[in-house]
Amino acid sequence: MFDFTGKTVLITGASGTLGATLSTRFAQAGANTVVAARTRFDEVAAETGGRNLGVRLDVTSESDWAEAITRAEEHFGPLDILINNAAYLHVGTTESIPVDEFRRVVDTNLTGALLGIRAAAPSMRKAGGGVVVNVNSIAGLAAAPGLVAYSSSKWALRGLMRAAAKELARDGIRVNAVHPDIIDTPLAYGPDGNELVPVDNFAIPRRATPNEIADFIVFAASDQARFATGSEIVADGGFGLGAIA
């Protein structure tokens, strides 16, 4: 069991399935949990138990980030951990995706993480150091046809993670990433209700549960991972091995 007693963690996209799972897991481990989302943040905060705070956060808004960090510090003190979990997905190919949707995906998945690290770093310096965990994807490790915006944003997120890790290392701030396989959440399905990426031919032929992926993220945020920065943890169910005939 990981112990985050006295640590303050902010989780973006906390109203989603994985975000809500992470909020509960960190609260159960003793953390001061800041539940950040555009909607349902107070509802999820009430469900997490422990010491928690719900805040409205659109990750693409610099002013929202400033307000979220200020409120976290007022309630709990400096921020120790940031989980960049918020994500947006739009199905579309290189030729078919509307440009405004491409930009929305990149703004949420990439620019949102940049703004989060930028807003959190000064608070973490006050705490004497900290941890950022970016929730990436197997779409950031392999071609994802039909998901060109999502894949582009996740590949770019890897570059952001590495640059930030090198820039912030001497401040005691670690920046790492977790690459999940397909998680059993609404993001795994298209508008028609069909799964976006069939998993029958994966080495482990099923979607991951939110709790399984939360295990990796909680570890990456913990002191047990204290010697890792700029690192990528792949939790892909064997996706990278290729299809099993």
Side-chain angles (χ1 to χ4, degrees), residues 43-67:
E43 178 183 337
V44 175
E47 294 170 353
T48 63
R51 290 170 52 82
N52 61 70
L53 169 69
V55 297
R56 184 193 180 280
L57 175 63
D58 176 346
V59 296
T60 68
S61 167
E62 290 186 77
S63 60
D64 274 17
W65 270 111
E67 176 66 16

Side-chain angles (χ1 to χ4, degrees), residues 7 38 66 74 79 83 85 100 124 149 175 178 184 209 214 240:
K7 301 287 188 181
R38 289 180 302 157
E74 288 174 347
L79 189 68
I83 310 296
N85 169 67
D100 59 342
M124 290 180 177
V175 188
V178 174
D184 196 15
T209 70

Side-chain angles (χ1 to χ4, degrees), residues 76-206:
F76 302 126
L79 189 68
D80 297 287
I81 300 165
L82 169 64
I83 310 296
N84 278 320
N85 169 67
Y88 176 65
L89 182 149
H90 185 89
V91 178
T93 67
T94 305
E95 293 180 286
S96 70
I97 190 168
V99 172
D100 59 342
E101 286 293 340
F102 186 95
R103 289 176 175 147
R104 183 181 175 189
V105 172
V106 172
D107 280 349
T108 301
N109 300 353
L110 177 62
T111 308
L114 168 68
L115 295 179
I117 296 170
R118 180 180 293 181
S123 188
M124 290 180 177
R125 290 190 187 99
K126 296 176 191 175
V131 184
V132 178
V133 181
N134 292 335
V135 180
N136 204 300
S137 169
I138 56 172
L141 298 171
L147 297 175
V148 64
Y150 189 77
S151 185
S152 297
S153 70
K154 293 299 189 177
W155 276 87
L157 187 59
R158 297 176 69 189
L160 171 64
M161 181 272 293
R162 288 174 177 267
K166 201 160 190 178
E167 292 170 355
L168 299 174
R170 297 303 172 89
D171 294 321
I173 299 172
R174 299 186 290 107
V175 188
N176 293 301
V178 174
H179 291 265
D181 187 0
I182 310 302
I183 310 173
D184 196 15
T185 73
L187 280 179
Y189 303 90
D192 56 4
N194 293 323
E195 57 183 350
L196 292 174
V197 180
V199 298
D200 292 346
N201 284 330
F202 288 9
I204 300 176
R206 63 174 176 82

